[in-house]
Amino acid sequence: MWWRVLSFLCFELVAGLLAWLAAAPTHAEVTELEALALGVLLGGLLWFLIDLARGARVLRWLRAGDFSDVLISTGLWGEVSDRVRRLIRKGEQATRDIQNRMQDFLSAFQASPNGVVLLDAQGSIEWFNQMAATHFGLDAERDMLQHIGNLVRDPGFVNYFAARDYQSELMMAGRENTALRPVRLSVQLHPYGVGRLLLLSRDVTALEQADAMRRDFIANVSHEIRTPLTVLAGFVETMQTCALDETERERYLDLMARQANRMQTLVSDLLTLSRLEGSPPPSSSDWLVVSALMRQLEQDAQSLSQVINPASEPRHRLQFDCPLGLEVAGAASELLSAMGNLVGNAIRYTPAGGEVRVKVLLLADGRAEFSVSDSGPGIAPEHLPRLTERFYRVDNSRSRDTGGTGLGLAIVKHVAQRHGASLKIDSTPGKGSVFAIAFPAQRVRSSAAQANSADQLAMRL
Ligand code: ADP
């Protein structure tokens, strides 16, 4: 500011002096004092015009809006333009920061596994993320600023939106819901700001399915336990109230023992399943000699065939084949349980005199296949996809008569999955079935050198 006063005074002084000097030697009619006054006046006018021009330049520069160059670097107008430029730069930086923050928030919403829709006070869509687009079938270009009620037409949602009571969530079908692939959404509106609404949606299909499965499972277990318990209770009551002769007593006790066994087998299978679900995956470095597993399976198969057909002779024709020196990495108890279930099923479902073949093959791609084939009744194709479901039975009475729990193949599937193996079922009604577990090459090794020593060791064990 002082420079401005100083420059003005300098202009006045120089102009006045020049005028005075110009007037002095001429001795014209203009006195030196008048010349001085005129010079000062002209000096002031010139200073004002220059100042006006600088001010006008700054104004033009401000109007043009391009602040990249420094326009005037000196004087009051220089400082004004410099401060304006700095203020504008600061404003631009603040706007950029806000935009970046905003982008971060939107990216966070976009990354959310839940659907997010922002609605204005009228219920029109201001923004939504990709998940909401999938849940409600929204299109970013077409549906922005559309009323949500026009796009989500589910009657439950329309009523929920209109009722303006958003305390609880709403369960509704998702846009891609079909009878074959149900999609269930949990939807809730949350008021925020001035009349605005945040619409959150969550895919709860898996949760609902898990819940339904849990309910079914409990109902099935209760049913499976209630049946033998009712029979047992009935026999106990009969024995308490009726006078029975020795033969009848023996028969009743035998039937009671069978029901108790059935419950024991069921509880044992349930425990096996829960252990499989809760325990860490089987080690891939514990190598098991397959021929030793096969020997164990063969012994169990012989005794089961005898128990099931005590009177009939011949019972089942059992055949076990396994190459020597083959090893599989995994948990011995789990593999014995899975393989034992397959062999047990083949014996239980194949009538006496039928054939059951159990073999292990080393496949060309390094996998090993354990298979059980029987000459039993076979299974109709429509049952095959559901066989490994818990408590699924093709023939309820045959399964129960032979001590089945309906959990055997569920256990087999679990064990196979835990070992990275696949379970394949082939069956022709009236001809028989083949159940095969193929172990991945990483879990299989075969060495002729190890064969003898490993087998000898296994024999000694
Ligand atoms: P279960 O304890 O009833 O045998 P599983 O889960 O082991 O239960 O088997 C499911 C159903 O598959 C059985 O009830 C039976 O109907 C059918 N099944 C299993 N293995 C055979 C087989 N080898 N031959 C014919 N049907 C079989």
Side-chain angles (χ1 to χ4, degrees), residues 265 269 341-350 356 372-380 383-384 386-400 402-412 425 427 432-435:
T265 321
D269 276 0
N341 262 305
L342 292 184
V343 178
N345 278 353
I347 293 175
R348 287 192 296 118
Y349 292 108
T350 304
V356 174
V372 181
S373 42
D374 63 55
S375 59
I379 305 159
H383 295 293
L384 295 182
R386 299 197 59 193
L387 279 189
T388 54
E389 283 176 26
R390 291 162 190 203
F391 298 111
Y392 188 83
R393 292 170 169 114
V394 177
D395 178 346
N396 267 327
S397 57
R398 176 110 181 87
S399 160
R400 292 206 175 90
T402 57
T405 58
L407 295 174
L409 290 180
I411 292 175
V412 175
I425 308 172
S427 191
S433 317
V434 183
F435 289 78

Side-chain angles (χ1 to χ4, degrees), residues 321-336:
D321 290 319
C322 171
L324 287 180
L326 193 68
E327 293 183 330
V328 169
S333 59
E334 290 185 23
L335 292 178
L336 266 177

Side-chain angles (χ1 to χ4, degrees), residues 13-80:
L13 198 68
V14 171
L17 263 173
L18 285 174
W20 183 70
L21 285 174
T26 57
H27 302 291
E29 330 54 90
V30 200
T31 65
E32 288 170 342
L33 219 58
E34 282 169 340
L36 184 73
L38 195 67
V40 166
L41 198 70
L42 283 173
L45 196 65
L46 187 64
W47 183 90
F48 176 70
L49 286 175
I50 291 173
D51 192 60
L52 203 65
R54 282 162 64 92
R57 259 183 90 191
V58 171
L59 201 63
R60 269 202 309 279
W61 175 72
L62 284 174
R63 279 185 189 141
D66 177 12
F67 308 111
S68 48
D69 287 339
V70 181
L71 181 76
I72 299 172
S73 55
T74 54
L76 180 101
W77 292 115
E79 191 175 336
V80 166

Side-chain angles (χ1 to χ4, degrees), residues 163-413:
R164 300 202 163 271
D165 175 12
Y166 309 135
Q167 298 285 331
S168 54
E169 58 185 0
L170 166 81
M171 299 305 243
M172 60 178 268
R175 179 69 166 210
E176 289 170 353
N177 180 57
T178 58
L180 277 180
R181 265 198 75 243
V183 179
R184 298 285 299 159
L185 297 180
S186 151
V187 170
Q188 190 161 13
L189 282 158
H190 302 271
Y192 78 100
V194 186
R196 288 167 185 274
L197 289 170
L198 171 72
L199 171 63
L200 294 181
S201 57
R202 199 158 47 97
D203 189 331
V204 290
T205 316
L207 273 179
E208 284 204 347
Q209 276 171 351
D211 219 33
M213 271 171 70
R214 190 182 50 81
R215 277 197 305 271
D216 285 355
F217 183 69
I218 290 174
N220 276 323
V221 171
S222 315
H223 176 76
E224 293 291 331
I225 290 181
R226 198 182 53 192
T227 315
L229 258 184
T230 314
V231 179
L232 257 180
F235 284 135
V236 169
E237 202 183 315
T238 313
M239 290 181 82
Q240 279 171 336
T241 50
C242 305
L244 302 171
D245 62 33
E246 194 54 30
T247 342
E248 273 178 325
R249 221 177 127 263
E250 290 273 304
R251 199 169 67 85
Y252 277 31
L253 282 175
D254 184 50
L255 290 169
M256 286 166 76
R258 273 201 219 176
Q259 297 304 326
N261 274 344
R262 198 173 135 190
M263 281 197 290
Q264 254 176 351
T265 321
L266 177 69
V267 171
S268 143
D269 276 0
L270 286 170
L271 284 174
T272 306
L273 264 180
S274 103
R275 261 198 303 272
L276 287 176
E277 277 171 356
S279 57
S283 150
S284 51
S285 54
D286 286 350
W287 291 96
L288 310 165
V289 181
V290 179
S291 54
L293 292 177
M294 290 286 271
R295 263 191 294 277
Q296 173 78 54
L297 287 175
E298 193 172 353
Q299 280 168 14
D300 294 348
Q302 302 278 9
S303 4
L304 182 66
S305 178
Q306 274 174 23
V307 172
I308 286 186
N309 317 296
S312 72
E313 196 66 53
R315 295 180 177 104
H316 289 100
R317 276 171 290 135
L318 302 178
Q319 194 181 328
F320 281 74
D321 290 319
C322 171
L324 287 180
L326 193 68
E327 293 183 330
V328 169
S333 59
E334 290 185 23
L335 292 178
L336 266 177
S337 160
M339 294 167 168
N341 262 305
L342 292 184
V343 178
N345 278 353
I347 293 175
R348 287 192 296 118
Y349 292 108
T350 304
E355 187 178 23
V356 174
R357 289 188 62 187
V358 184
K359 63 177 178 215
V360 179
L361 278 181
L362 182 60
L363 305 178
D365 56 8
R367 290 181 304 148
E369 188 185 74
F370 168 86
S371 68
V372 181
S373 42
D374 63 55
S375 59
I379 305 159
E382 66 269 23
H383 295 293
L384 295 182
R386 299 197 59 193
L387 279 189
T388 54
E389 283 176 26
R390 291 162 190 203
F391 298 111
Y392 188 83
R393 292 170 169 114
V394 177
D395 178 346
N396 267 327
S397 57
R398 176 110 181 87
S399 160
R400 292 206 175 90
D401 287 351
T402 57
T405 58
L407 295 174
L409 290 180
I411 292 175
V412 175
K413 187 180 150 196

